């Protein structure tokens, strides 16, 4: 396995203490992360350090038998990691679409989603999240990924455009925004309501208008 | 006045339209599409339509003021690339409303990336509406002649 695979969790020069701290952190996050951290570490050519880690594992707060938290490395995920770290985008996309995710553990799919997100492959991440939602209905992390990344709810709302004076406020911004560089401003009906260094100050100044859609609030860049 | 709003409403393409600015407030005139949106019950906010950005991004100071937190969100392991800089953070869903000048407002359950941010930290990026996090979930069309965006639900 490529030594970069585990670099986001532990480096090849990590001490046993660092490895154990990583495992402790994984333990605090959840089961999938335990599995994944273990996967990364066992996949790393640590040599003696793996043995040290395995010995040290007995001293962690994990109550699972070691064979449960040290799964065999899945070839599919290790290949995905390899492609991701090598920025071999086409290979990454092709492999992720061809993996039979129903034969993979949930943490592998979760990791694939994260790798896709990190590579700016958002559409692929959405697709993988949809797979996760269907294949692993009991996996909290994958369900959360699907909830956040997939699907859509659209709602049409009758607009009260007659009372909304955004046009005048847009005009004000075009004409005067340049005078307030770096400030937060609130504009309503084409008039400046408030200006301050922080949004909180503007919020205090304009009160309920902070929640009125007739008010335009923006930071002048 | 959006010249095509009646036609586009009649054929169920669009529900509403709004005029857009071609520069972010304070910026130089440019070829941007800056629209007015609202998140939850916020005032109107400026945001750039960015089909090259996957998710919506808003000033973290604004997100904090609106009380949006990442507790129910999805935190990827690893950083996301936001306009060339990598940020760790949380992806969340929140109602984002396109504010119509004509026709109806349209509220989308958008995906917004909340970068990890501490109060007092500076943030120099404008607000963005991204493709996968919002625009892919609606129909939209741009008329650059009149600086109008038309939008409708799928």
């Amino acid at each position: 396995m490529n030594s970069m695979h585990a670099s986001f969790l532990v480096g090849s020069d990590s001490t046993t203490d660092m490895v154990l701290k990583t495992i402790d952190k994984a333990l605090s996050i959840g089961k999938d992360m335990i599995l994944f951290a273990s996967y990364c570490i066992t996949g790393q050519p640590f040599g003696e350090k793996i043995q040290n880690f395995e010995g040290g594992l007995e001293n962690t707060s994990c109550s699972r038998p070691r064979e449960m938290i040290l799964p065999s490395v899945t070839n599919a995920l290790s290949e995905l990691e390899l492609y991701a770290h090598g920025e071999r985008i086409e290979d990454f996309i092709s492999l992720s679409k061809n993996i039979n995710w129903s034969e993979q553990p949930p943490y592998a799919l979760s990791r694939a989603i994260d790798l896709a997100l990190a590579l700016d492959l958002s559409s692929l991440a959405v697709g993988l999240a949809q797979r996760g939602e269907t294949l692993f209905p009991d996996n909290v992390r994958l369900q959360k990924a699907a909830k956040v990344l997939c699907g859509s709810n659209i709602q049409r709302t009758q607009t009260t455009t007659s009372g909304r004076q955004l046009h005048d406020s847009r005009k004000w911004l075009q004409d005067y925004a340049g005078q307030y560089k770096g400030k937060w401003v609130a504009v309503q009906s084409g008039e400046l309501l408030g200006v301050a260094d922080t949004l909180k100050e503007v919020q205090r100044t304009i009160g309920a208008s902070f929640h009125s859609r007739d008010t335009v609030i923006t930071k002048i860049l | 006045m959006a010249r095509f709003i009646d036609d586009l409403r009649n054929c169920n393409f669009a529900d509403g339209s709004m005029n857009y600015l071609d520069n972010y407030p304070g910026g130089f005139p440019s070829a941007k599409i800056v629209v007015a949106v609202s998140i939850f019950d916020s005032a109107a906010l400026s945001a750039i339509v960015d089909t090259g950005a996957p998710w919506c991004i808003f000033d973290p100071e604004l997100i904090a003021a609106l009380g949006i937190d990442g507790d129910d969100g999805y935190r990827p392991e690893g950083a996301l690339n936001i306009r060339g800089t990598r940020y760790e953070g949380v992806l969340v869903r929140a109602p984002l409303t396109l504010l119509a000048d004509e026709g109806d407002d349209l509220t989308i359950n958008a995906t917004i990336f909340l970068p990890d941010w501490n109060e007092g930290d500076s943030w120099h990026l404008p607000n963005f509406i991204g493709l996968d996090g919002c625009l892919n979930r609606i129909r939209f069309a741009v008329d650059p002649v009149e600086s109008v965006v038309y939008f409708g639900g799928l």
Side-chain angles (χ1 to χ4, degrees):
Chain A
M1 187 173 171
N2 187 299
S3 62
M4 289 182 70
H5 290 177
S7 61
F8 63 95
L9 279 175
V10 287
S12 57
D13 57 347
S14 297
T15 62
T16 302
D17 277 351
M18 289 164 72
V19 173
L20 291 174
K21 277 180 186 169
T22 304
I23 286 293
D24 287 341
K25 186 180 171 191
L27 286 166
S28 70
I29 295 171
K31 181 182 171 187
D32 280 357
M33 282 306 300
I34 299 168
L35 294 172
F36 187 66
S38 305
Y39 148 71
C40 287
I41 290 161
T42 53
Q44 180 82 313
F46 271 112
E48 285 182 16
K49 286 179 183 170
I50 293 178
Q51 292 169 16
N52 290 340
F53 157 65
E54 289 181 347
L57 191 62
E58 308 297 342
N59 300 323
T60 69
S61 57
C62 182
S63 58
R64 288 176 230 279
R66 190 167 62 199
E67 53 271 26
M68 275 185 67
I69 65 167
L70 296 175
S72 59
V73 176
T74 61
N75 288 334
L77 185 54
S78 64
E79 270 191 79
L80 276 181
E81 294 273 1
L82 181 69
Y83 294 153
H85 288 290
E87 298 197 350
R88 292 167 60 182
I89 304 299
E90 283 182 27
D91 291 333
F92 182 89
I93 294 171
S94 174
L95 180 58
S96 358
K97 287 182 175 172
N98 288 321
I99 289 174
N100 183 350
W101 290 108
S102 64
E103 294 176 354
Q104 299 292 326
Y107 70 86
L109 184 47
S110 169
R111 180 60 186 156
I113 292 169
D114 293 349
L115 290 171
L117 288 170
L119 290 170
D120 266 352
L121 301 172
S122 51
S123 296
L124 178 63
V126 170
L128 292 172
Q130 285 169 334
R131 296 283 292 148
E133 181 180 31
T134 308
L135 291 173
F136 303 106
D138 297 327
N139 186 276
V140 174
R141 183 164 171 79
L142 285 172
Q143 291 304 310
K144 193 174 270 191
K147 181 182 163 194
V148 169
L149 301 177
C150 312
S152 175
N153 299 318
I154 300 291
Q155 188 181 344
R156 296 161 182 83
T157 313
Q158 204 69 39
T159 309
T160 52
T161 47
S162 60
R164 195 181 281 164
Q165 302 293 330
L166 293 185
H167 172 81
D168 295 340
S169 298
R170 275 195 290 264
K171 179 81 169 58
W172 185 95
L173 287 171
Q174 279 186 316
D175 293 344
Y176 303 109
Q179 298 175 20
Y180 299 93
K181 290 269 186 191
K183 307 280 189 187
W184 284 92
V185 300
V187 184
Q188 192 176 70
S189 303
E191 293 187 8
L192 183 65
L193 276 188
V195 56
D197 288 331
T198 68
L199 183 59
K200 273 187 179 171
E201 290 173 68
V202 169
Q203 194 173 1
R204 270 195 297 272
T205 305
I206 68 174
S209 294
F210 186 77
H211 295 288
S212 166
R213 289 177 177 177
D214 295 333
T215 308
V216 177
I217 294 178
T218 191
K219 187 175 184 180
I220 309 299
L221 298 178
Chain B
M1 177 68 187
R3 185 193 309 178
F4 302 106
I5 186 64
D6 290 337
D7 289 341
L8 292 177
R9 289 190 85 181
N10 287 338
C11 69
N12 292 321
F13 181 93
D15 297 297
S17 68
M18 78 167 95
N19 287 88
Y20 64 81
L21 295 175
D22 66 2
N23 64 305
Y24 202 78
F28 297 108
S30 58
K32 294 185 176 64
I33 297 172
V34 181
V35 295
V37 301
S38 172
I39 309 174
F40 284 111
D41 60 348
S42 80
L45 311 167
S46 301
I48 296 173
V49 173
D50 187 353
T51 56
W55 316 113
C56 303
I57 312 271
F58 287 85
D59 192 306
E61 197 175 343
L62 181 68
I63 292 294
L66 293 173
I68 301 172
D69 61 43
D71 288 351
D72 284 335
Y74 179 79
R75 176 175 285 276
E77 285 294 318
L80 271 57
N81 177 17
I82 307 297
R83 302 191 82 74
T85 304
R86 301 197 77 80
Y87 292 93
E88 295 200 352
V90 184
L91 289 156
V92 300
R93 292 296 280 259
L96 181 149
T97 302
L98 294 164
L99 300 175
D101 293 321
E102 292 183 64
D104 295 338
D105 289 347
L106 191 68
T107 301
I108 304 122
N109 195 9
T111 303
I112 300 175
F113 180 64
L114 312 183
D116 290 342
W117 178 82
N118 296 314
E119 191 166 345
D121 287 355
S122 59
W123 183 261
H124 300 294
L125 294 177
N127 302 325
F128 292 97
I129 299 176
L131 195 63
D132 281 312
C134 179
L135 299 168
N136 265 354
R137 298 169 188 172
I138 63 171
R139 288 194 184 90
F140 66 100
V142 177
D143 179 358
V145 176
E146 295 186 324
S147 296
V148 172
V149 176
Y150 297 89
F151 47 84
L154 295 177

